[in-house]
Amino acid sequence: DKVLVVSKSGTTARILARHEIEQPIYAFVSSEVYKRRLMLTKGIFRAFTQEPMYSGRDEAVGAVLAHAKKEGVIEEGEKRVV
């Protein structure tokens, strides 16, 4: 089980990390600055930059899932929350 968070600045991922959930949190943000900030946040397992930012939610989620598969974060049949 994994949690994938798509966020422009990483605020959503940081809020979720505060709750100290059991599942690892993988964050996809818009710039290296936000990525570095998230890597200092307790509870964030790994952060990635996702560029360009997409106009629609469905397009962004599809791109993030493809990026996560390419990076080896998720596999087919695994439970995940986006």
Side-chain angles (χ1 to χ4, degrees):
D1 298 352
K2 296 175 182 167
V3 177
L4 306 178
V5 179
V6 182
S7 175
K8 182 176 180 181
S9 65
T11 302
T12 305
R14 284 193 303 278
I15 289 170
L16 188 59
R18 271 188 220 149
H19 295 285
E20 298 180 4
I21 62 174
E22 291 179 21
Q23 296 79 10
I25 299 171
Y26 294 86
F28 293 82
V29 293
S30 62
S31 76
E32 285 291 323
V33 172
Y34 297 133
K35 175 184 168 184
R36 287 192 301 271
R37 188 178 296 162
L38 280 174
M39 293 312 299
L40 296 173
T41 304
K42 179 182 176 184
I44 303 294
F45 188 75
R46 197 161 167 206
F48 302 91
T49 54
Q50 183 66 30
E51 294 192 38
M53 292 305 291
Y54 297 93
S55 58
R57 180 188 66 215
D58 294 338
E59 184 182 1
V61 168
V64 164
L65 289 175
H67 189 164
K69 285 179 185 175
K70 183 179 86 173
E71 292 287 335
V73 172
I74 59 174
E75 297 173 3
E76 288 297 323
E78 235 179 355
K79 290 183 186 176
R80 54 196 173 249
V81 176
V82 180

